[in-house]
């Protein structure tokens, strides 16, 4: 049942307009903010790192109760809820449209329209506004951001929906992701004079507090999906180069799934070496010096690589469903 719901959601998401859930996402964001409890205002500043758990618990309990009620009425109704939640979370069509249009603009020599499209896409996701002057820089930043979005808006959703029965894994992951974004936005809104501490710095400062922070929870939930995605990239591209790129980048970033995964993708598309997981790195600068033909080709290869990985995951989960290795694996 879980695979059937996933397949229906993937097919429907391909044809439905991307803006269909825009209002729903805005409403959920406002609703989650209303659910937050300001522990600092209540006189418990030492527990403010726990307030992100309240919206998550409410959503988990609410969706679990609704799923059980619908399952009692009809398994099809419960399956419809799973499909709806998957459609809400998946953004593969949006990803594909942006990269396809950017590639077309670059092929036509229209760098400025491609830059406007991709910079708007990046800002919408994490508020970043990189300074881009050349096509090489644009392609680098597009793949750098595209890797994280592919992991968080597609492959991790796949994984957690199939690992836990019903849509519970999906809800937990999406709420952890929302909490990380919310934490970042609050930090930026409060205009701290110093830079936001990294996960490594937070871990060294207070291990217990860091372990129950949304960033660490999301890191833990993406630990296995990121490695499975890197393995998939290696299988459809070059496994030895992918493994070398992963190990090289991982040595520099203990608490990061994005860094080594980005290095794997860069290596797979032949843009720069495996150390290129940082936009400010030397390898990034070297990558900007490639010819325009190679830059556009790298963007095209990245889009095709994501598509191939998605197909491999769908085929693999089909095999697992047939063998009965998935929760609720009845087809």
């Amino acid at each position: 049942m879980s695979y059937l719901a996933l397949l229906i959601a993937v097919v429907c998401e391909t044809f439905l307009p991307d803006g269909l859930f825009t209002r729903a996402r805005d409403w959920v964001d406002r609703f989650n903010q209303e659910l937050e409890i300001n522990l600092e205002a209540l006189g418990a500043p030492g527990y403010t790192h726990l307030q992100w758990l309240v919206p998550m618990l409410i959503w988990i309990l609410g969706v679990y109760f609704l799923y059980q009620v619908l399952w009692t009425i009809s398994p099809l109704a419960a399956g419809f809820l799973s499909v709806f939640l998957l459609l809400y979370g998946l953004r593969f069509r949006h990803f594909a449209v942006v990269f396809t249009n950017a590639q077309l603009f670059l092929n036509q020599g229209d760098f400025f329209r491609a830059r406007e499209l991709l910079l708007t896409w990046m800002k919408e996701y994490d508020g970043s506004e990189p300074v881009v002057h050349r096509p090489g820089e644009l392609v680098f930043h597009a793949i750098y951001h595209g890797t994280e979005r592919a992991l968080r808006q597609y492959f991790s959703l796949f994984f957690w929906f199939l690992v836990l029965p019903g849509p519970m894994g999906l809800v937990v992951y999406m709420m952890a992701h929302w909490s990380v974004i919310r934490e970042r936005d609050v930090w930026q809104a409060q205009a701290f004079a110093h830079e936001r501490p990294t996960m490594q710095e937070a871990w060294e400062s207070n291990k217990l507090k860091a372990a129950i922070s949304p960033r660490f929870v999301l890191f833990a939930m993406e630990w296995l999906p990121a490695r499975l995605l890197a393995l998939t990239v290696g299988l459809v591209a070059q496994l030895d180069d992918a493994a070398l790129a992963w190990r090289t980048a991982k040595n520099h970033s203990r608490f990061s799934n994005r860094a080594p995964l980005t290095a794997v993708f860069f290596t797979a598309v032949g843009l720069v070496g495996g150390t290129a997981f940082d936009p400010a790195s030397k390898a990034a600068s070297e990558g900007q010096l490639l010819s325009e033909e190679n830059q556009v080709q790298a963007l095209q290869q990245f889009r095709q690589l994501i598509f191939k990985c998605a197909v491999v995951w769908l085929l693999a989960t089909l095999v697992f469903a047939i063998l009965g290795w998935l929760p609720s694996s009845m087809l």
Side-chain angles (χ1 to χ4, degrees), residues 30-317:
R30 291 193 299 270
F31 181 68
N32 289 340
Q33 294 179 33
E34 291 294 330
L35 292 177
E36 287 181 326
I37 299 175
N38 193 337
L39 295 177
E40 185 173 0
L42 295 175
Y47 298 95
T48 54
H49 60 286
L50 298 176
Q51 64 187 27
W52 70 278
L53 293 173
V54 176
M56 174 180 282
L57 291 175
I58 292 176
W59 275 105
I60 291 174
L61 294 175
V63 172
Y64 178 78
F65 175 77
L66 179 59
Y67 185 79
Q68 292 300 323
V69 170
L70 292 177
W71 184 268
T72 303
I73 297 173
S74 169
L76 289 178
F80 177 80
L81 176 63
S82 297
V83 171
F84 179 81
L85 292 174
L86 277 167
L87 287 173
Y88 174 87
L90 293 174
R91 300 293 301 277
F92 185 77
R93 183 178 186 275
H94 179 67
F95 175 94
V97 168
V98 168
F99 270 80
T100 301
N101 290 338
Q103 180 189 333
L104 289 174
F105 289 146
L106 290 176
N107 281 333
Q108 296 168 1
D110 196 343
F111 164 68
F112 296 102
R113 291 184 67 184
R115 182 177 65 177
E116 180 183 4
L117 175 66
L118 286 170
L119 290 184
T120 301
W121 176 69
M122 296 174 199
K123 184 177 180 181
E124 172 196 86
Y125 176 67
D126 59 7
S128 62
E129 298 182 80
V131 178
V132 176
H133 298 292
R134 295 182 295 274
E137 294 175 294
L138 183 64
V139 170
F140 185 92
H141 282 285
I143 296 177
Y144 181 75
H145 283 79
T147 298
E148 180 176 308
R149 294 190 72 164
L151 176 66
R152 293 187 171 176
Q153 295 182 343
Y154 207 70
F155 293 100
S156 290
L157 295 177
F158 267 38
F159 180 84
W160 285 108
F161 175 73
L162 296 172
V163 165
L164 296 181
M168 302 316 300
L170 194 65
V171 173
V172 172
Y173 179 78
M174 286 195 296
M175 282 307 302
H177 185 200
W178 180 87
S179 299
V180 170
I181 296 175
R182 174 64 175 162
E183 182 186 61
R184 181 206 66 207
D185 291 343
V186 169
W187 185 273
Q188 293 176 348
Q190 292 176 349
F192 286 100
H194 55 283
E195 196 172 321
R196 187 185 183 194
T198 64
M199 289 181 61
Q200 181 67 39
E201 293 170 343
W203 180 261
E204 293 173 353
S205 175
N206 189 323
K207 290 184 174 59
L208 180 60
K209 190 183 243 185
I212 55 180
S213 67
R215 281 193 293 173
F216 192 87
V217 171
L218 190 66
F219 164 76
M221 294 189 73
E222 290 177 346
W223 191 89
L224 187 54
R227 281 153 178 78
L228 291 176
L229 180 56
L231 176 62
T232 309
V233 173
L235 292 175
V236 300
Q238 188 69 33
L239 187 58
D240 292 342
D241 292 341
L244 179 60
W246 180 281
R247 287 196 299 268
T248 303
K250 193 61 184 173
N251 292 333
H252 294 81
S253 304
R254 178 185 177 188
F255 292 107
S256 175
N257 295 313
R258 179 185 187 179
L261 186 60
T262 305
V264 169
F265 271 103
F266 276 125
T267 301
V269 300
L271 184 59
V272 286
T275 58
F277 59 87
D278 184 351
S281 66
K282 179 182 177 182
S285 301
E286 293 172 352
Q288 297 163 11
L289 301 178
L290 293 175
S291 65
E292 291 187 8
E293 181 181 354
N294 290 336
Q295 293 162 3
V296 176
Q297 185 178 9
L299 197 63
Q300 179 182 5
Q301 288 178 346
F302 176 71
R303 180 173 58 84
Q304 293 174 346
L305 197 57
I306 295 293
F307 178 76
K308 291 177 182 178
C309 291
V311 172
V312 170
W313 278 45
L314 285 172
L315 293 177
T317 51

